[in-house]
Amino acid sequence: KNSRVFCVQSIQGFRKAQLSLEFLLVMAGFVLALTLFAPIAIKSSRTALFAMEMERANEFLSEFKSSTSRVSFLSSGTIMEVKANPENKWFFRASNGVAEITIKSDSLGIEKTISKTIPLEVREFFQEFNKPTVLRIEKFNDFIWLNSTSID
């Protein structure tokens, strides 16, 4: 009779150990899945943020083009302002009838440039925007002069 009790207790102990082992295997699989998919999720998040930054830069360039177009029809001395709101660094360049913004993502290892044609000749201008900035557009005769001021 004692051997039977011992045998039943051994079987119950074995079942508890088996459940503990199964639980550990499930947890190990979960941790492994997190380890494998975390880098993919992080890269996807960074790619989405970069795409949003590109869209923000494109909107800025469209507003800049529209403002230079309006200034081109107005008299000399006309001033307009356009606000840039970069989250990352923007490299803005305007010359030879073209305005462009280059955005670099070190974490993704990519660089993209957006450009738009503008109606008047612009005195060559290059500026790095890394915080909110107002770009001032001034018309002098048949040229556009640009000046930027950071907003704190």
Side-chain angles (χ1 to χ4, degrees):
K1 193 173 185 177
N2 278 344
S3 65
R4 233 185 211 174
V5 171
F6 178 73
C7 199
V8 169
Q9 287 176 345
S10 294
I11 291 172
Q12 288 175 347
F14 177 72
R15 287 183 183 153
K16 286 181 183 178
Q18 183 179 357
L19 286 175
S20 296
L21 182 61
E22 288 172 356
F23 176 75
L24 287 175
L25 287 173
V26 168
M27 288 304 292
F30 179 72
V31 169
L32 179 64
L34 280 178
T35 304
L36 293 174
F37 292 112
I40 295 168
I42 290 169
K43 185 173 181 178
S44 295
S45 173
R46 288 179 180 160
T47 301
L49 290 173
F50 187 76
M52 288 173 25
E53 188 75 5
M54 291 300 296
E55 183 58 32
R56 193 177 300 120
N58 193 40
E59 288 173 10
F60 170 78
L61 274 182
S62 294
E63 187 177 345
F64 176 75
K65 180 179 179 174
S66 175
S67 295
T68 56
S69 183
R70 280 184 266 149
V71 164
S72 72
F73 291 110
L74 301 173
S75 62
S76 184
T78 301
I79 298 171
M80 296 191 97
E81 294 181 340
V82 180
K83 186 176 179 184
N85 288 306
E87 291 289 323
N88 298 308
K89 286 183 185 177
W90 292 3
F91 300 95
F92 176 80
R93 178 183 305 278
S95 66
N96 300 325
V98 176
E100 65 183 23
I101 293 178
T102 300
I103 301 174
K104 295 179 183 179
S105 172
D106 294 331
S107 62
L108 293 172
I110 56 174
E111 174 180 309
K112 297 278 184 176
T113 300
I114 305 169
S115 62
K116 297 206 183 275
T117 57
I118 48 180
L120 284 178
E121 196 58 37
V122 176
R123 186 191 105 231
E124 189 166 339
F125 182 82
F126 178 79
Q127 183 71 46
E128 179 182 310
F129 300 150
N130 56 4
K131 57 184 171 181
T133 303
V134 171
L135 186 63
R136 186 176 180 168
I137 305 163
E138 283 186 70
K139 181 180 179 184
F140 286 108
N141 300 323
D142 291 333
F143 290 94
I144 294 176
W145 296 82
L146 301 175
N147 191 2
S148 66
T149 305
S150 295
I151 302 170
D152 292 325

